[in-house]
Amino acid sequence: MCNMEDFIATEEDRGVRSDVFVARRLQLSRSQAARLFALGHVLVNGAVSKPGRVLQPGDEVHVRAEPPEPPSLQPEPMDLEVLYEDEHLLVINKPRGLVVHPAAGHYHGTLVHALLARVPALSSIGAPDRPGIVHRLDMDTSGLMVVAKSDKAHRSLQAQIQARKARREYVAIVWGCPAFETATIDAAIGRHPSDRKKMAVLPAGAPGAKPAVTELAVLERLPPMSVVEASLRTGRTHQIRVHCAYAGHPVAGDPLYGEHGRPSGHGVLTRAAEDALSALRGQALHARHLSFGHPVDGRLMTFEARLPDDMQRLLDALRKLANGRKRSAI
């Protein structure tokens, strides 16, 4: 079965060859892209395209791509920070940079591979390449995840998340100082219309738009940044990152949503804060709190995970900057 991908060329794509465009958007080699053209699987504005066709803004590119057969899952030992484990589940503190399950470009070295080395039998609910995965975190988001060993545990945990009985709270360092103390961002999310790597806020009812609700609360104001807590009512891809950017306060270190360099008008940082910001290994977003009822005996399970070191260094530098401004104002 083929995957169908649709793209719209932007001003940045003016003059780019079709094969280069397809290779970039699908993260393929030039030879893999050339094969798609040879098979007639690439259409531009409804007509079969040659690889050398030069694109113009607004050109519609349709690709029928047969996904490669992923390798079979094999256990791969890896050090994991396990906060809790019993015969039904385990709770881990996922490090930034670790992909949760196999996907294009990440067929080895994922959390799933590491889990299989530790727990040979995980729940079988869901996709075959995601055994035990009840919910996921982006590769560069750190923090708490619960993993199901049995199908019974998986169903219970999934139902608790859907019914909002399980609570997931995140901490983010964002640009700017929000005018609100608390806010509810209720804005549908779907695939970005021209960049398939990104998600975007879309009009409710638009094709592919799914309801998405995030609750935000300001924890600290440390100009030119703030620390916010984010709680999920829904679990869309990149939800917190998209909603924070939509609210005008993109997550620091986020390469996709509104931070190609520093957003304008956000003040001056000290050298220590600049260095800490540059040292971030991804967006400053961390799943700090997780609570749920145990799927067998119902007891409340509550977990907290410390901030990763690079995020803590940025927070310390921002607090020092804020304290210095207070002293200078006296």
Side-chain angles (χ1 to χ4, degrees):
M1 183 175 181
C2 291
N3 284 339
M4 304 295 183
E5 295 282 0
D6 292 293
F7 306 98
I8 298 176
T10 66
E11 185 62 38
E12 294 180 356
D13 302 313
R14 183 187 294 275
V16 174
R17 285 171 51 107
S18 297
D19 56 348
V20 174
F21 178 89
V22 170
R24 288 175 179 172
R25 292 302 178 93
L26 295 181
Q27 296 184 305
L28 302 175
S29 67
R30 288 286 291 275
S31 61
Q32 289 173 320
R35 172 174 168 77
L36 293 176
F37 282 87
L39 293 172
H41 284 185
V42 181
L43 282 70
V44 176
N45 299 330
V48 174
S49 175
K50 294 182 179 180
R53 174 169 179 166
V54 174
L55 296 177
Q56 299 299 322
D59 282 345
E60 297 181 0
V61 182
H62 178 79
V63 185
R64 300 193 300 274
E66 295 182 358
E69 188 69 25
S72 59
L73 287 174
Q74 298 295 329
E76 298 180 25
M78 186 186 306
D79 289 335
L80 294 175
E81 184 179 350
V82 178
L83 278 65
Y84 176 84
E85 183 174 11
D86 63 23
E87 60 184 306
H88 307 288
L89 58 89
L90 65 161
V91 175
I92 66 163
N93 183 17
K94 186 190 85 69
R96 183 174 292 137
L98 180 62
V99 176
V100 170
H101 56 73
H106 299 282
Y107 289 130
H108 298 283
T110 71
L111 174 62
V112 164
H113 291 91
L115 289 170
L116 289 173
R118 182 184 181 96
V119 185
L122 293 166
S123 72
S124 60
I125 295 175
D129 61 348
R130 305 181 188 187
I133 302 302
V134 178
H135 63 108
R136 61 183 294 279
L137 295 176
D138 297 335
M139 178 178 73
D140 288 328
T141 297
S142 59
L144 294 168
M145 289 182 61
V146 58
V147 178
K149 292 185 177 181
S150 67
D151 288 358
K152 178 180 180 180
H154 196 133
R155 290 190 186 94
S156 172
L157 293 166
Q158 211 167 47
Q160 290 183 58
I161 290 175
Q162 291 172 353
R164 295 180 57 203
K165 293 181 179 178
R167 187 153 185 85
R168 294 172 290 166
E169 295 175 354
Y170 296 71
V171 172
I173 300 175
V174 303
W175 283 104
C177 292
F180 57 82
E181 295 298 326
T182 62
T184 298
I185 311 299
D186 186 349
I189 290 175
R191 188 66 60 181
H192 193 285
S194 61
D195 188 342
R196 306 298 288 180
K197 294 180 182 178
K198 297 174 65 174
M199 308 300 288
V201 168
L202 300 177
K210 297 181 179 179
V213 182
T214 305
E215 296 174 350
L216 298 178
V218 178
L219 301 179
E220 291 184 75
R221 300 178 189 277
L222 304 167
M225 297 183 184
S226 296
V227 183
V228 301
E229 179 182 85
S231 300
L232 295 174
R233 290 192 192 175
T234 55
R236 308 304 178 200
T237 301
H238 299 177
Q239 179 173 319
I240 294 173
R241 299 162 64 189
V242 171
H243 275 173
C244 283
Y246 176 71
H249 302 285
V251 179
D254 192 326
L256 286 181
Y257 300 104
E259 188 168 273
H260 298 288
R262 179 176 304 140
S264 61
H266 281 299
V268 179
L269 295 174
T270 60
R271 174 58 65 86
E274 289 282 8
D275 290 345
L277 179 62
S278 298
L280 282 175
R281 297 189 299 276
Q283 58 271 2
L285 179 61
H286 176 69
R288 179 180 66 173
H289 174 92
L290 175 66
S291 61
F292 55 87
H294 192 281
V296 175
D297 59 32
R299 72 184 186 277
L300 179 63
M301 310 286 288
T302 301
F303 301 93
E304 299 280 339
R306 70 188 187 284
L307 292 180
D309 291 343
D310 59 351
M311 194 169 164
Q312 185 64 55
R313 281 194 295 272
L314 176 58
L315 181 57
D316 291 343
L318 291 171
R319 285 171 173 166
K320 186 175 181 179
L321 172 60
N323 288 334
R325 285 174 175 162
K326 290 178 182 177
R327 286 195 298 271
S328 64
I330 297 175

